[in-house]
């Protein structure tokens, strides 16, 4: 058996040989492959949305879904606001996200303090029970919640209030659905704060509640920011409860996805406006992530460590 010389080996064989000598080349190759895959799967949809938004709708009908713009129609980004009140749908999603995030952060901070800094019997099983709620599919709650929020549930002769087409019909389920993850994140961060800092605040005369919001929460800013941003993004993109709890009108607090679907008629679909509306709708979340990315990254990494 003859051994192939270096010049007789193919490019792949030479790369494998050099990788054995220097394993860092394999790590760099895996990094580049993962980066290219991530960029393709995440950025290509936005590129295609931009292509469809800039292509006139008649050209889309003629060419299907072209890989490059068939024309140049930037007016579609203005037309999305004149065809339907799309700004109202964006505003509705923004308000629902902010309201839910505020409720979740306040309640999850209280629960996170209890689970992160206090010892009591059954703490572990109770935390697992709370986290188990987030694993239930939302469809499992839709029938009882729909009856509850449409005034069809009566207790001791008192009927439940009708919250259909109101923010309450969406904010309440959203808060319950996204609360467990925030409790877990904040409990992890609050448990890392040294007891001496809280004790010093208590000696100065503050209460436990005051120490929580004056000392522990500010020191856990990355965790609070992470929980808040994740909650806001989840609510901003949510559609299941919003589809069933509203009639789809902008005045009825219908969210962003309802606005995008409004460009789809019975006999025609305005694909260019749907694409333009999708790009406009994602801008608030993109800006939020860019502004808070440092807090999110530090929160996701620091929350995994316990000193």
């Amino acid at each position: 058996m003859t051994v192939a010389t270096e010049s007789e080996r193919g490019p792949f064989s030479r790369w494998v040989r050099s990788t054995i000598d220097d394993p860092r080349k394999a790590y760099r190759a895996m990094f580049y492959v993962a980066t290219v895959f991530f960029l393709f799967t995440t950025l290509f949809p936005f590129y295609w949305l931009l292509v469809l938004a800039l292509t006139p709708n008649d050209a889309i009908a003629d060419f299907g879904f072209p890989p490059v713009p068939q024309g140049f129609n930037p007016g579609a980004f203005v037309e999305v606001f004149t065809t339907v009140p799309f700004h109202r749908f964006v505003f509705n999603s923004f308000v629902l996200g902010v309201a839910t995030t505020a409720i979740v952060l306040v309640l999850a901070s209280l629960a996170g303090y209890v689970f992160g800094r206090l010892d009591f019997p059954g703490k572990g099983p109770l935390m697992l029970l709370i986290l188990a709620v987030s694993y239930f599919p939302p469809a499992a709650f839709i029938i009882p919640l729909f009856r509850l929020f449409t005034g069809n549930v009566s207790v001791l002769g008192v009927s439940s209030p009708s919250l259909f087409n109101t923010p309450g019909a969406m904010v309440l389920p959203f808060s319950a659905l996204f609360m467990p993850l925030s409790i877990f994140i904040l409990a992890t961060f609050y448990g890392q704060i040294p007891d001496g800092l809280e004790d010093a605040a208590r000696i100065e005369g503050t209460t436990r509640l005051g120490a929580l919001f004056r000392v522990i929460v500010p020191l856990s800013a990355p965790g609070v920011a992470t929980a808040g941003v994740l909650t806001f993004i989840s609510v901003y993109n949510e559609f299941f409860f919003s589809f069933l709890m509203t009639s789809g009108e902008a005045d009825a607090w219908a969210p962003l996805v309802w606005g995008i679907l409004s460009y789809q008629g019975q006999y025609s679909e305005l694909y260019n406006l749907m694409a333009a509306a999708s790009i406009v709708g994602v801008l608030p979340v993109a800006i939020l992530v860019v502004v808070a990315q440092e807090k999110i990254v530090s929160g996701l990494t620091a929350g995994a460590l316990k000193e």
Side-chain angles (χ1 to χ4, degrees):
M1 179 181 296
T2 60
V3 179
T5 62
E6 188 69 23
S7 60
E8 293 175 344
R9 292 192 181 100
F12 181 75
S13 298
R14 291 196 297 269
W15 179 83
V16 171
R17 182 66 179 178
S18 63
T19 302
I20 295 175
D21 298 334
D22 186 6
R24 290 177 297 180
K25 290 185 177 181
Y27 301 146
R28 286 196 297 267
M30 290 187 290
F31 171 77
Y32 292 142
V33 171
T35 301
V36 171
F37 176 78
F38 173 78
L39 292 177
F40 179 80
T41 55
T42 56
L43 296 183
F44 180 75
F46 291 102
Y47 163 77
W48 207 354
L49 284 176
L50 183 61
V51 169
L52 294 178
L54 296 177
T55 302
N57 202 58
D58 295 338
I60 295 178
D62 296 335
F63 294 95
F65 292 91
V68 294
Q70 303 296 320
F72 186 69
N73 181 33
F77 291 96
V78 178
E79 193 175 350
V80 294
F81 298 102
T82 58
T83 304
V84 300
F86 187 70
H87 59 285
R88 286 294 306 276
F89 292 102
V90 176
F91 175 77
N92 293 344
S93 289
F94 186 82
V95 171
L96 293 174
V98 171
T100 303
T101 302
I103 294 173
V104 167
L105 288 182
V106 172
L107 297 181
S109 292
L110 299 175
Y113 178 86
V114 173
F115 283 102
R117 304 192 61 81
L118 302 181
D119 292 325
F120 57 91
K123 182 172 71 172
L126 184 57
M127 173 61 80
L128 292 177
L129 181 62
I130 292 176
L131 291 176
V133 175
S134 62
Y135 291 102
F136 280 90
F141 308 107
I142 189 59
I143 293 179
L145 287 179
F146 183 81
R147 290 181 56 84
L148 177 66
F149 293 148
T150 52
N152 292 316
V153 175
S154 179
V155 178
L156 299 178
V158 180
S159 298
S160 60
S162 179
L163 300 178
F164 189 76
N165 283 338
T166 66
M170 291 169 282
V171 171
L172 294 177
F174 293 162
S175 301
L177 190 63
F178 302 120
M179 185 89 63
L181 178 60
S182 296
I183 293 176
F184 177 76
I185 293 175
L186 296 181
T188 302
F189 273 86
Y190 293 169
Q192 298 177 12
I193 304 299
D195 295 336
L197 295 177
E198 183 181 0
D199 294 339
R202 296 288 303 278
I203 292 175
E204 293 295 330
T206 187
T207 62
R208 282 189 180 272
L209 196 61
L212 169 63
F213 289 104
R214 294 178 182 177
V215 178
I216 297 176
V217 171
L219 293 175
S220 304
V224 176
T226 301
V229 171
L230 293 179
T231 300
F232 179 84
I233 293 176
S234 299
V235 175
Y236 190 83
N237 295 325
E238 206 279 337
F239 181 63
F240 182 77
F241 282 108
S242 306
F243 180 79
L244 297 169
M245 296 300 181
T246 67
S247 59
E249 302 295 330
D251 295 335
W253 290 95
L256 174 67
V257 182
W258 264 117
I260 297 175
L261 295 179
S262 300
Y263 302 103
Q264 185 176 11
Q266 183 177 1
Y267 302 104
S268 63
E269 292 82 16
L270 302 176
Y271 291 113
N272 61 332
L273 297 187
M274 294 177 68
S278 299
I279 295 175
V280 173
V282 81
L283 288 180
V285 174
I287 295 173
L288 175 64
V289 172
V290 170
V291 173
Q293 63 176 339
E294 183 178 351
K295 293 292 185 181
I296 297 174
V297 173
S298 61
L300 292 176
T301 55
L305 303 175
K306 187 169 184 178
E307 298 179 356

